[in-house]
Amino acid sequence: MNKLKKSLGSFIVPVISIVLAIGIGCLIMLALGKDPGEAMTYLFKGAFGSKTNFGRTLIKATPLIFTALCACFAYKCGVFNLGGEGQFIMGSIGCYVVAYLSGIEGVPGIILALAAGAIAGGLWGVLPGILKITRGQNEMIISIMLNYVATLFMGVIYTNWMRDASVPQTLPVPDGVKLSKVIPGMRFTWAFVIALAVGFILYYVLFRTSAGFKLRAVGYNMTAARFNGFPVKRYILMSFIISGAIAGLGGGAEILGTQFRLINGYGAGYGFDGVAMALIGQLNPIATMVVAIFFAALRTGSTMMQTATGVPTSVSDIIQALVIVFSVAGMALTKLPEFENFRNKLFRKGGAKA
């Protein structure tokens, strides 16, 4: 019964948040003198109305899934990895350098480049992890600062070391290591399939294995886990490495599947977007992937909505922001003793009627 109550709460909060956010978005459209029904129809068509649009949505969702899963895994161990963006960028750099300089093409070249991206992201995640377990430093501040370091380091690469002539960007990766499209006529590549595979693997590891149980136990209560003999520091460091590797793999997949080169503004915002989506998904890997696709759909469909109805794309941004606000507020509300008592009364009444 307790598990059922918790599952219902985890499911209801994001759903209510999305419904409220869309409702307020419709009120804003009415205030602008637009038809909300028509606008939402074109929003849906822009995201899913054709194979091309659907593929574009999945392309936008792919990097969001990786950075969201990065945050999700770290948070499950009780640490706050806000460096997903930096780890994503470092993974992109590692993947690009190996893909461009190794000369290996085909499946072996793709695997080698993606592995390099995951390793680079994992190594970038080690830094805040080591400082936390050895010096007790705040991992949030350190991981955020490392985002800027990674962005500036990428800038050195595409403006100096590997610059494409007079253009501030790198040359594209060779065609032999580019990820192919999964379905003809749709733009999304195997990067999206890899993202889904990572999400399902994470779910299995976290909720179906003893290692995942120990990791979640550390996240629930580090002091209790330490007194029960769990190697807490080792799990903390491992969570940073694995979460960084997930983001780094995402950066590599983005380079080989969509971007193909390093350029100004690449990877900006993915890290913090991923944190928000992980929280909305209640730190459940599968729910987190669904939320990432939903946000990608809002961003893809808003362009057609603006073109067809005149509703500005900023309304879509407002809806996304409101979903985050309502989800965080809902999570805080469900933790209150008053809400827990109210929920227990409802379940007791339901059981009595049954």
Side-chain angles (χ1 to χ4, degrees):
M1 183 64 73
N2 290 332
K3 186 176 181 180
L4 176 60
K5 289 191 293 184
K6 186 176 180 180
S7 300
L8 285 175
S10 300
F11 174 77
I12 290 173
V13 169
V15 171
I16 293 178
S17 301
I18 291 172
V19 171
L20 288 175
I22 292 176
I24 294 176
C26 290
L27 292 177
I28 295 174
M29 295 175 196
L30 284 173
L32 294 173
K34 307 297 182 181
D35 182 359
E38 182 185 16
M40 295 305 295
T41 299
Y42 279 105
L43 178 69
F44 181 84
K45 287 182 178 179
F48 304 108
S50 67
K51 292 174 65 175
T52 300
N53 293 344
F54 188 32
R56 191 180 296 116
T57 297
L58 298 185
I59 287 175
K60 285 186 177 291
T62 301
L64 298 176
I65 290 174
F66 277 110
T67 54
L69 292 175
C70 160
C72 180
F73 187 86
Y75 285 17
K76 276 296 183 183
C77 194
V79 294
F80 302 97
N81 181 11
L82 300 181
E85 182 175 316
Q87 293 147 17
F88 182 91
I89 291 174
M90 292 304 295
S92 301
I93 294 172
C95 177
Y96 175 82
V97 170
V98 170
Y100 186 76
L101 298 179
S102 68
I104 303 174
E105 298 188 354
V107 175
I110 292 173
I111 294 175
L112 180 63
L114 291 177
I119 292 171
L123 291 176
W124 206 245
V126 165
L127 300 177
I130 289 178
L131 290 173
K132 179 176 178 61
I133 66 175
T134 59
R135 308 295 298 176
Q137 300 297 312
N138 188 306
E139 74 272 19
M140 292 187 289
I141 296 175
I142 295 170
S143 57
I144 289 175
M145 293 298 103
L146 286 174
N147 290 339
Y148 297 101
V149 176
T151 301
L152 294 173
F153 179 61
M154 180 179 66
V156 173
I157 292 176
Y158 69 72
T159 57
N160 290 282
W161 296 348
M162 304 181 75
R163 181 169 179 159
D164 181 10
S166 61
V167 183
Q169 62 184 26
T170 62
L171 290 165
V173 296
D175 291 338
V177 292
K178 292 180 180 178
L179 294 172
S180 60
K181 295 179 176 60
V182 179
I183 300 175
M186 299 185 73
R187 295 180 56 188
F188 77 99
T189 67
W190 286 98
F192 178 73
V193 178
I194 295 172
L196 291 183
V198 171
F200 285 114
I201 291 171
L202 276 188
Y203 179 84
Y204 177 80
V205 170
L206 285 173
F207 298 103
R208 294 291 185 270
T209 66
S210 59
F213 170 78
K214 293 177 181 178
L215 187 144
R216 288 185 290 119
V218 171
Y220 286 138
N221 193 319
M222 290 187 183
T223 303
R226 187 179 296 109
F227 275 103
N228 279 277
F230 290 3
V232 173
K233 290 186 177 181
R234 188 191 308 169
Y235 274 105
I236 290 175
L237 184 60
M238 182 182 70
S239 70
F240 273 106
I241 295 173
I242 294 177
S243 64
I246 292 170
L249 178 61
E254 184 72 3
I255 281 291
L256 299 186
T258 305
Q259 192 66 34
F260 305 130
R261 67 179 80 219
L262 301 174
I263 192 171
N264 183 38
Y266 171 76
Y270 286 151
F272 291 107
D273 287 345
V275 171
M277 292 168 196
L279 292 176
I280 295 170
Q282 306 285 296
L283 304 182
N284 182 299
I286 295 177
T288 296
M289 292 191 293
V290 174
V291 172
I293 295 173
F294 169 75
F295 271 66
L298 288 177
R299 296 175 183 184
T300 304
S302 61
T303 303
M304 177 177 283
M305 179 182 69
Q306 177 172 329
T307 303
T309 66
V311 176
T313 57
S314 57
V315 174
S316 172
D317 297 333
I318 293 172
I319 293 174
Q320 295 175 55
L322 289 174
V323 171
I324 296 171
V325 171
F326 290 145
S327 295
V328 174
M331 290 173 62
L333 177 64
T334 58
K335 303 296 183 183
L336 294 176
E338 294 82 1
F339 182 85
E340 184 66 26
N341 293 333
F342 174 73
R343 185 166 55 180
N344 290 334
K345 290 179 181 178
L346 288 179
F347 271 83
R348 281 198 296 267
K349 289 180 180 179
K353 291 179 181 179

